[in-house]
Structures are given as C-alpha cells and as structure tokens.
Amino acid sequence: MPWLRTLDASRTLAASLLSAYGMSLAFTVAVFSWFGMAIGSYTQVGAATGMAVLLIGAPLFQPQFFAFALVRHLSGRRYSRVLQALAGASAWVAAEWIIPRLLGDTLGHGLYPSRLLRQAADVGGAAGLTFMLLLANEGIAATWSRRADGLRAMGKPLALSALVPLLLAGYGLIALSSPPAPASKPLRMGLIQSNMVDYEHQRQKKGAYAVVHDVLDMHFAMSYDAVVRQHADAVLWSETAYPTTFGQPKSKAGAEFDQAILGIVHSAGVPFVFGTYDRDAAGEYNATAFVEPHKGLLGFYRKTRLFPLTEYVPTWLDSPTFRRLLPWTGTWLPGSGARVFPLRLADGREIPVVPLICLDDVDTRLAINGARLGAQAILTMSNDSWFTDHQQGAELHQAVAAFRSIETRLPQFRVTTNGYSAAIDATGTVLAGARMGERTLVMGALPVQTPARTLMVIWGDWVGLAGLAFLVLLTVMSAFPSLHAHDDEEALVSAATAFPIKVAVLPPFARLAAGLLRAFARGALLWMAVAMLMDDALQGHTLAQIRTFSAFFLVPEAAAWCVLLAFGARASIDNGALVLARGTRRLSLSLHDIAAIEPWRLPIPDTGASLRLTSGERWPYGLATANPMALAKALASAGAPVPAGAPSRTTAYSQARATIGHGRLDKPIAKFIVLPFALAVPAFRLHQHIAYGSGLGEYYTFGLKAYLTTFSLWWAAWIIGVVLSAAALRAAIEAGTLMTVLLRPGQTATIRLLLERISLVALYLGLPTWLLTRALWG
C-alpha cells in the first residue's frame, strides 16, 4: 500500500518506473536474500557477490513491478480508479504469465498459511490469489487517499478491500465443507529423506564407487524399514538419489549397482520410484525411474523444467568459452512434458501418478497436464541440499509445491534429500513431514481417487492470459475513441424516441408469471453451464443435453415470451394522452396524470418502467420496453409535465443497458445459429475422420440420413454450448454493470461497453480457439 501511494504521487512515467525499480530491489532483498546467498555458496564466489548478482538482475527477476507501474500510470490518465486498479492487476499477472518466474513465486503464495483462503487456488491458481490481493491493496490505498473526505468517502474502497478476504474465506468454507468422496483404501508411501548431501565433496574424498555404495546402503536400509516395519505400498527416493544412469550403466560397477537395486525391489515386493539419470543419443537427462518387483524398469520420466546454468545452459549462450568461465554449469537436456505412470501395488491396485522433479513443481502446467492425463496423485522429488543453510528457500519451495495439489485436488507425496519431505493432501495441508537437516523416514497415507475437475484443470493457467486479453481490449478502446460510450446523458438515450413504441402492458400477475418463468430459464442456463464446466462427461451426452436444455430453458423461456406477446401493444400519443393499443383494444392515460417514469430496479421479465401518477399512486400496469429512458424522453417531448423521477443508479443502469449499440455479431441468428454451425462443421469432420476414416465416412457406411442426423446432433450440441457460454458471459456483464452502478454511476455506460466487447471477443474468438486447442492437443 505505501508503494501504491508512492506511485499515485509520481507525476511522470519515468518517476513511476524508477519507483518500480526501487520496489523490485526492496522486494528482492526482503523476500529473496537467501537466494542470493545460496547463489554465492553454490558458485563459491561468496554471499556478498551472490547478493550483488541477484540485485543487479532484480528487474529481470521481478519484471512484474515494472509492468504494473507502467500500465497503472498510463491507465490512470484516461480511466477511473477502478479501471486503473483492474488494469494494473492484469498487467501484473500477465507479466508473470508471459515471463515465467524462475522460482514460480507470486504474491498469492503468501496466503498458503491460511487453509481457508488458499482454497480458491483451484479456480484461478496462485495467480488468481495474487490478482485479488492486488485489488485489496488498491482498495486500502484508495481508502487512505480519501481520509480527508471523511468516513463516508472512505467506506466504499474499504468495504471492497474487506470483500476480498470475505470472498476467499467464503469459497474456502464451501470447498472444505464439501462432502468427501467415497472412502477408498489410502495409498501408503514411504518417503526416504536420507540427509546425504554434497555427493561431489564425498566423491573427492572417497571416490565415486564408495559414495554410490554408501548412498545405496542407506536407502536400502531405510526402504527396508518402510516396507517391512511400516507396510508401505510403495517407496519414493529423492531427486538424483542414485547419482548415475540406471538401466544404461557406464561401467561394470554401475551394472552391479543396477542389479542391486533390482534385487532390493524384487525382495521388497513393492514398486520403487527414485531419482536417477537417463540418457540417449542426444545426451543425458535428470530423470525418475519407475521399477516394479519381478518386472524391472517400467520407464523414465525426464525432468522438464531444468534450473538455468546449474543444470543446463541455453543454446544461444552455450560455448566452450562460457563453460571455461563457469565450470560448474550443467549439461542436462529437458524432457518433453508431463507423463503419467501406473503405480502397480502388491494388493492389485493400479494408481496412475504424475512425477515431478524439483523445479517441475513450480510449473502449474505440468501438474495440470498430469491431472488431465488421469493422474490420481502427484509424486514430487527434489534435491534441496543447496538450501541447507537457507531454510527459507526450502520452505518456499514446499509451499509452492503444495499449491499444485490445491489447483488439481490431487494428493501429493513429496520427498527431498534433506528436507522438507511431506505427505500433502488435496487441500494443500501437510499431514506428515520431516524437518530440515534430519535423516528420517516419512510415512504418508493419502486417499486417492479421480477428483472432480477443477476450473484450473479445465482451463489451465488462465488468469494471466485473461489479464493480457483485458489489457489488449483496453488498448483497443484507447486507440479508437469512437468505441467509448459518450458521457453526455442526452447521447445515452437512444435516438429512437418517436412514437409509436412497442411495449408489453403487464398487470402485476402477468409480470410475476413472466418474470418467474424467465428467471427460472436463465438460472437453468447458468446451472447447466456450471455443471458442464465442472464435469467433462456431461459434454458427451448430446441427447441428454437437448432434453435438459429444452425442458429447463426452451419451454419456460417460450412461455415467458408468450406472456409478453399476449400483452404486447403499441404506445402512441393521441390528444394529450398516452394510448396503448392492441388491435381494437385501447387503454389511455392523460399525460397530465403522469408524474414520473420509474425504470424497474430488476429487469424482470425484461427492461421496463412503471408510471407514477400525480396522485402519488403507481399505475397498475407496468410497461416492458427495450429502452425505458427513450420512453421517458418521448413522453417529455409530447408534453408530459415530469418526464422522469427514477433513482439515479437505476437510471444509469437502464441507460447503459438500453443504449449500448448492438452490431451484427450481437444478433441472435449470428450468435446462436451461424457461429454454432461454423464450430460444428470442423468438429464434425474431425469426428468423421476419427470414427470412420474420412470426412464422409458415415455417409458411405450408413447413408445420407444417418450422416445428416449425426451432423444435426453436433450442430444442436454446439448451439447449446454457445447459448450456455453466452449466458455465462451475460451474467458477468450484468454483474459488472451493477457493480459499476454502485461504485461509479457516471462510468456505467463506458464499463458496460467494455464488458460487451470482451464478451464478443470471448465468444467469437475464445470458442474457436478452444476448439482448435482441443483438436491439436486433445
């Protein structure tokens, strides 16, 4: 918050960027001083030099401060404080998404100690928590800036800041109180924390053979305890616990060690998973080996995210001269991404697991991809021995790893060389663990099953991308001023104010009936959208979708439409009276009897208004119309003495809702007929190629009727999908508009227009992008 106040006081862009530089240095010293000292210790250049290197690289290490300051400064010149806060927070998470963090760190990890608040990470990941924290701090800064205006002025931003932890806590309560899955036999694993570090120093003293022999003896003894005394279902060793290639020995001694490991696994009768090396014609890899009793090596997982310099050197930087200057640089090659292996237990169970090695567990995408591939547990191996004198680094590493379990709702078994090893449940809670620097066997028993897919698993690491999309749209809005809603109230009212105007004249019972029907139909859409979003299996039952969509949406929506149609009329002015005519039936009201027009606070069953009479009573009929403010202006032009008396917030909402122009892409035929058709055609052809071998395969096999029937089902499924997507986006637009009405009534039209544009981009670009992604990567 003090830094935000400093940015507010910065009048120039240069001053803001200079403040960002200072903050990046301060943040690096406060949070990552241990990392600088660890660099100095590992490279043997000393802690001071390590810290100097870290501080020099602080702008590269923490670029999000500069992105935040830049965007916040530029947006503050044009937009309101609310949009400025949203733009700054979006820039922060977008920068972290574009430039992956070396240690995977983000501000959201600071909420890990709170079991309640961290549960929202399954929706937006740690990046989502960061976004919320930034908004909360913006609210506090705004509160402080208004302290001279009194408590009332400070109330709004302070309430919004308090809303962030309340929302996170509320979600956490719901997540933690959800009924547990049916009980299943837990997976019981023995985690071997040997506390054997500095292999290289030991090798120089005793030789490579003696070091490997001692390492294996220690791991064999601790594994015996895990299997025989503690009845482990499987055994997990740490990263590079076996410090040479397995299965492809480099020497006769290496072959003997391989056979010794196989012999121990066969005798134990349970699968072993351990860190080792793998190699092929291209080079060598940091790997995890899966070994089964009586079957031998099942396969390797190769570490995907290598640590820069210590494990590999980027190709553009690699050269003999560079390696002479830095002889400690690594030569490993990166793996190809997440893999899932079966853990076949002695009792016949087969549990799919996704292994992660060290820095892999700071990459959200690897755990998510593992969950998508069907993993029921995460196995994490790390060698954090370089944190021996810097426990803060090891603590941060474990906290970041725990977020992978929250995001995917997969339990995690995490073993390290010398701490912190732990068994972590699906809420990120450490149920069993070891301290730093101790030799111990950690026994963890965690329930395993296929969890319900979280939003993070379904959408991936989406918050940063959403932030980037928001900034792009904001930039487009700035570049084309014609896209902005005009601030003049006269311009907000539609030009179509001349009579006659189409209305529905609704007595109370008709409005209630149509409102309940339409509320049920729209609520059913949101329910279906959430249900299908959280359960991919529902997306494959097209006939069930059609029946549900018809019964819960089409029928009540059609009934509501019929009610409105039955009470439809044309409003006109005749001889100083408002005349509502339908065929030969006429209803008239003198303009002099109209005192005010009050737009409905709730646009149910549609936007509309009530007439307040000069007697003080409300006219018994409500008028449902697309633009209540246009009706008010038309009546005023016709001579009604008091054209409007609605509350300002209701007026702002009605004006914004009715006066935003809708182009061709907003037309129902374009959105719900043409777009689904365009999406259904490639999806259907892909299905035909997969199922029948060609685009006309079903036609050649079963005839034209079957071919067209199947295509019709695909088209119907996409219509439902687009309608559900549009409903979710519409709910977001209305919620954002209402929030703006409460906070910034004068900005309602501008924010509404921005949300409408975002919705169109999401619908017409987001859905095709999603389809292409599914087609290419499954």
Side-chain angles (χ1 to χ4, degrees):
M1 191 276 279
W3 182 52
L4 295 178
R5 297 293 300 136
T6 302
L7 289 178
D8 289 338
S10 301
R11 299 302 179 188
T12 64
L13 179 59
S16 294
L17 294 178
L18 183 62
S19 178
Y21 177 69
M23 187 61 176
S24 70
L25 293 177
F27 186 82
T28 300
V29 171
V31 181
F32 293 104
S33 57
W34 57 269
F35 187 47
M37 290 184 284
I39 292 174
S41 175
Y42 184 87
T43 59
Q44 300 180 358
V45 297
T49 304
M51 276 299 301
V53 170
L54 185 64
L55 291 177
I56 291 172
L60 298 176
F61 192 53
Q62 302 293 339
Q64 71 276 12
F65 287 102
F66 294 87
F68 179 83
L70 172 65
V71 172
R72 193 177 185 275
H73 179 85
L74 295 178
S75 60
R77 295 177 175 179
R78 182 181 293 270
Y79 297 108
S80 66
R81 184 67 182 254
V82 173
L83 268 183
Q84 182 190 32
L86 289 172
S90 296
W92 185 294
V93 295
E96 293 185 335
W97 183 78
I98 295 171
I99 308 173
R101 322 295 301 122
L102 179 62
L103 301 177
D105 56 282
T106 187
L107 292 180
H109 291 142
L111 293 182
Y112 175 71
S114 171
R115 185 168 183 259
L116 200 61
L117 300 183
R118 70 185 184 223
Q119 299 308 315
D122 70 351
V123 175
L129 299 182
T130 296
F131 188 86
M132 298 293 283
L133 285 171
L134 290 169
L135 294 184
N137 277 270
E138 287 279 13
I140 296 172
T143 301
W144 182 258
S145 67
R146 297 183 180 189
R147 65 190 185 280
D149 298 330
L151 293 178
R152 186 180 181 85
M154 297 170 65
K156 281 185 182 178
L158 186 62
L160 288 176
S161 295
L163 186 62
V164 170
L166 289 176
L167 286 174
L168 294 178
Y171 182 86
L173 285 172
I174 294 172
L176 294 175
S177 61
S178 299
S184 60
K185 185 177 180 180
L187 173 60
R188 185 173 175 82
M189 293 201 71
L191 314 180
I192 310 301
Q193 181 173 303
S194 66
N195 200 34
M196 299 184 73
V197 298
D198 200 2
Y199 286 1
E200 182 62 25
H201 179 69
Q202 295 296 321
R203 184 187 66 80
Q204 293 174 4
K205 289 175 58 177
K206 300 189 295 185
Y209 180 88
V211 171
V212 177
H213 192 279
D214 290 348
V215 168
L216 290 183
D217 281 351
M218 178 59 66
H219 283 79
F220 289 164
M222 298 181 72
S223 299
Y224 175 87
D225 186 33
V227 175
V228 176
R229 294 192 177 94
Q230 302 297 333
H231 309 293
D233 294 320
V235 175
L236 185 63
W237 297 358
S238 63
E239 177 190 13
T240 62
Y242 182 47
T244 185
T245 56
F246 179 78
Q248 301 183 64
K250 299 178 180 179
S251 64
K252 182 179 179 181
E256 294 174 356
F257 288 135
D258 286 1
Q259 290 302 313
I261 292 175
L262 291 173
I264 287 294
V265 176
H266 297 337
S267 299
V270 301
F272 276 49
V273 183
F274 57 89
T276 182
Y277 306 164
D278 185 24
R279 65 174 178 171
D280 58 19
E284 201 163 85
Y285 305 84
N286 186 346
T288 296
F290 283 75
V291 180
E292 297 181 342
H294 311 299
K295 293 182 180 179
L297 178 64
L298 174 63
F300 289 102
Y301 164 72
R302 295 170 173 175
K303 183 178 180 180
T304 300
R305 185 161 174 169
L306 300 174
F307 204 93
L309 301 184
T310 61
E311 292 187 322
Y312 88 108
V313 177
T315 304
W316 60 271
L317 187 60
D318 201 357
S319 69
T321 302
F322 183 83
R323 290 191 179 274
R324 279 198 304 271
L325 293 174
L326 301 176
W328 43 265
T329 51
T331 58
W332 276 328
L333 298 175
S336 57
R339 292 188 65 189
V340 170
F341 290 82
L343 205 59
R344 299 188 178 104
L345 308 183
D347 59 10
R349 287 183 293 160
E350 184 174 300
I351 299 173
V353 297
V354 54
L356 302 175
I357 302 176
C358 193
L359 209 60
D360 285 341
D361 61 21
V362 308
D363 190 334
T364 304
R365 293 168 294 184
L366 289 173
I368 287 174
N369 288 339
R372 289 172 174 172
L373 291 171
Q376 295 180 0
I378 301 172
L379 304 184
T380 307
M381 289 142 281
S382 185
N383 183 351
D384 287 348
S385 58
W386 64 306
F387 291 143
T388 300
D389 298 324
H390 313 286
Q391 297 187 18
Q392 187 180 358
E395 292 172 357
L396 173 61
H397 194 183
Q398 179 168 282
V400 174
F403 271 90
R404 304 295 83 84
S405 288
I406 304 171
E407 291 161 354
T408 61
R409 294 304 179 191
L410 295 178
Q412 180 177 170
F413 297 93
R414 183 173 189 269
V415 64
T416 68
T417 306
N418 64 330
Y420 297 95
S421 300
I424 304 171
D425 71 7
T427 70
T429 303
V430 174
L431 300 184
R435 294 186 295 271
M436 193 78 179
E438 68 175 350
R439 178 173 297 157
T440 187
L441 167 65
V442 178
M443 291 301 304
L446 297 173
V448 290
Q449 63 265 326
T450 301
R453 288 198 165 190
T454 66
L455 193 63
M456 282 292 288
V457 173
I458 296 171
W459 285 4
D461 191 10
W462 62 274
V463 171
L465 180 59
L468 180 61
F470 178 79
L471 293 178
V472 170
L473 189 61
L474 206 61
T475 302
V476 172
M477 294 281 290
S478 300
F480 298 96
S482 60
L483 294 179
H484 288 280
H486 201 282
D487 290 331
D488 184 12
E489 182 175 337
E490 292 297 323
L492 287 173
V493 181
S494 172
T497 57
F499 285 105
I501 296 175
K502 291 183 178 181
V503 296
V505 185
L506 300 177
F509 77 89
R511 185 187 176 193
L512 178 62
L516 290 176
L517 288 168
R518 184 155 282 180
F520 178 84
R522 304 298 170 86
L525 283 182
L526 295 178
W527 166 73
M528 287 183 64
V530 172
M532 292 181 65
L533 185 66
M534 301 307 295
D535 189 353
D536 279 355
L538 295 177
Q539 299 177 16
H541 297 82
T542 304
L543 292 177
Q545 290 178 30
I546 294 174
R547 286 193 292 267
T548 303
F549 184 76
S550 301
F552 288 91
F553 171 68
L554 288 182
V555 171
E557 181 71 16
W561 180 81
C562 288
V563 172
L564 294 176
L565 183 64
F567 289 90
R570 295 175 67 85
S572 60
I573 300 296
D574 187 16
N575 294 324
L578 171 64
V579 178
L580 304 169
R582 177 179 174 85
T584 59
R585 301 180 61 185
R586 291 167 57 90
L587 185 66
S588 63
L589 178 67
S590 173
L591 294 180
H592 294 289
D593 291 335
I594 301 174
I597 297 180
E598 301 173 347
W600 292 339
R601 294 180 181 273
L602 290 178
I604 296 176
D606 205 342
T607 52
S610 298
L611 300 180
R612 180 71 63 179
L613 304 179
T614 54
S615 63
E617 299 179 350
R618 180 176 293 175
W619 200 44
Y621 299 98
L623 301 180
T625 179
N627 194 338
M629 301 314 299
L631 176 63
K633 185 175 181 181
L635 287 175
S637 301
V642 183
S648 59
R649 286 190 173 89
T650 305
T651 303
Y653 179 78
S654 299
Q655 288 175 338
R657 197 173 191 272
T659 60
I660 299 298
H662 296 288
R664 295 179 180 177
L665 295 180
D666 283 299
K667 301 298 182 184
I669 291 180
K671 282 204 291 192
F672 305 129
I673 301 298
V674 177
L675 177 60
F677 181 84
L679 294 170
V681 169
F684 175 69
R685 287 185 60 83
L686 180 62
H687 159 75
Q688 291 289 307
H689 278 280
I690 294 173
Y692 298 100
S694 73
L696 296 172
E698 191 172 6
Y699 168 71
Y700 293 134
T701 305
F702 298 107
L704 181 61
K705 181 179 179 181
Y707 184 80
L708 293 178
T709 299
T710 303
F711 177 74
S712 299
L713 291 174
W714 276 83
W715 193 4
W718 274 105
I719 289 175
I720 294 172
V722 171
V723 170
L724 296 181
S725 300
L729 291 170
R730 179 56 52 191
I733 290 172
E734 300 302 332
T737 303
L738 288 173
M739 184 67 70
T740 307
V741 167
L742 293 175
L743 301 176
R744 297 278 182 177
Q747 297 288 325
T748 304
T750 300
I751 298 298
R752 174 86 181 197
L753 179 61
L754 179 63
L755 294 175
E756 294 280 359
R757 296 293 184 266
I758 292 175
S759 173
L760 287 178
V761 170
L763 201 64
Y764 282 94
L765 295 182
L767 286 179
T769 301
W770 175 83
L771 176 60
L772 180 62
T773 302
R774 290 287 293 262
L776 294 177
W777 293 286

